[in-house]
Amino acid sequence: DGGITQSPKYLFRKEGQNVTLSCEQNLNHDAMYWYRQDPGQGLRLIYYSQIVNDFQKGDIAEGYSVSREKKESFPLTVTSAQKNPTAFYLCASSVPGGVYEQYFGPGTRLTVT
Amino acid sequence: AQKVTQAQTEISVVEKEDVTLDCVYETRDTTYYLFWYKQPPSGELVFLIRRNSFDEQNEISGRYSWNFQKSTSSFNFTITASQVVDSAVYFCALSEMAGNTPLVFGKGTRLSVIA
């Protein structure tokens, strides 16, 4: 079955540690996205990539980093510079161009204490 | 700049009632796309519909229907004869054709259907 995998579902880290969230897709989509969801805030775009080896900052990129070395993978690193990293993180993919629907993974809930 | 407003934060209805979720958008582009997504308690967003700005026909899919009105910049979503399984957070989103930008989401409406 085609889809998007995010692992793990729940992740716990101590403050000051970097943590990398995994996102893999087998939909053969060129574009991939990372969103952050906080209660009552909707989805906010962190980074997106329209093609391998290229990515752009979204609305809240500070304290995050990404890489896109393979079409299937778009890992997100939450660095210690992110002031409030506890949130629900969603990865998505689509055909390139904003006119197409995005397909989402199950999400990773990150808790930093 | 593009913006999506979902003024209803939470709605509760009794099973079998009809419910309408409002979505108002802002855009300077003449060509744009509107979307609705459902987020059940499991957390994964499920795509429901995409509509382009040139197609103002209402759409019906089973108990779901969508009303797109460019005159009021609205793209409302109605669930007829609601069921408990409809309980979820629903997001409206907008994408402009120009600029090749990703979706902009509203803050969502939490729908609770009570048996």
Side-chain angles (χ1 to χ4, degrees), chain B residues 10-72:
Chain B
E10 295 189 31
I11 300 175
S12 288
V13 299
V14 176
E15 202 171 22
K16 297 184 182 177
E17 285 184 351
D18 299 347
V19 58
T20 295
L21 309 182
D22 297 333
C23 173
V24 174
Y25 61 91
E26 296 176 27
T27 177
R28 296 177 183 173
D29 206 351
T30 56
T31 304
Y32 52 89
Y33 288 77
L34 295 161
F35 303 78
W36 275 96
Y37 283 84
K38 173 182 180 180
Q39 186 179 38
S42 61
E44 182 172 341
L45 267 75
V46 177
F47 166 72
L48 296 178
I49 189 172
R50 178 184 68 157
R51 177 54 57 90
N52 74 59
S53 53
F54 297 106
D55 183 2
E56 288 194 71
Q57 273 196 322
N58 290 335
E59 181 153 343
I60 298 174
S61 176
R63 296 184 297 107
Y64 295 171
S65 62
W66 290 269
N67 181 274
F68 176 32
Q69 292 195 339
K70 287 179 76 170
S71 60
T72 57

Side-chain angles (χ1 to χ4, degrees), chain A residues 43-77:
Chain A
L43 276 70
R44 293 184 289 171
L45 182 66
I46 304 173
Y47 269 98
Y48 65 102
S49 167
Q50 302 277 25
I51 198 168
V52 174
N53 292 322
D54 187 38
F55 49 82
Q56 288 78 40
K57 293 182 179 180
D59 301 319
I60 56 166
E62 186 175 349
Y64 299 97
S65 66
V66 293
S67 62
R68 187 81 189 280
E69 297 176 1
K70 298 188 300 181
K71 186 176 183 177
E72 303 80 16
S73 178
F74 191 40
L76 173 74
T77 296

Side-chain angles (χ1 to χ4, degrees), chain A residues 2-112:
Chain A
I4 300 176
T5 303
Q6 290 185 248
S7 60
K9 180 71 173 176
Y10 300 94
L11 192 54
F12 298 88
R13 281 294 183 269
K14 293 291 186 183
E15 195 172 328
Q17 294 179 336
N18 291 355
V19 58
T20 297
L21 280 58
S22 167
C23 178
E24 303 277 335
Q25 56 98 0
N26 61 4
L27 299 169
N28 201 32
H29 286 160
D30 284 305
M32 296 187 74
Y33 312 83
W34 274 105
Y35 293 91
R36 170 181 172 140
Q37 186 177 21
D38 296 283
Q41 294 296 316
L43 276 70
R44 293 184 289 171
L45 182 66
I46 304 173
Y47 269 98
Y48 65 102
S49 167
Q50 302 277 25
I51 198 168
V52 174
N53 292 322
D54 187 38
F55 49 82
Q56 288 78 40
K57 293 182 179 180
D59 301 319
I60 56 166
E62 186 175 349
Y64 299 97
S65 66
V66 293
S67 62
R68 187 81 189 280
E69 297 176 1
K70 298 188 300 181
K71 186 176 183 177
E72 303 80 16
S73 178
F74 191 40
L76 173 74
T77 296
V78 184
T79 75
S80 56
Q82 169 50 234
K83 294 179 181 178
N84 187 18
T86 295
F88 187 53
Y89 291 88
L90 284 157
C91 178
S93 72
S94 76
V95 174
V99 303
Y100 298 100
E101 60 270 25
Q102 296 177 13
Y103 294 90
F104 285 80
T108 292
R109 189 166 298 279
L110 173 65
T111 302
V112 177

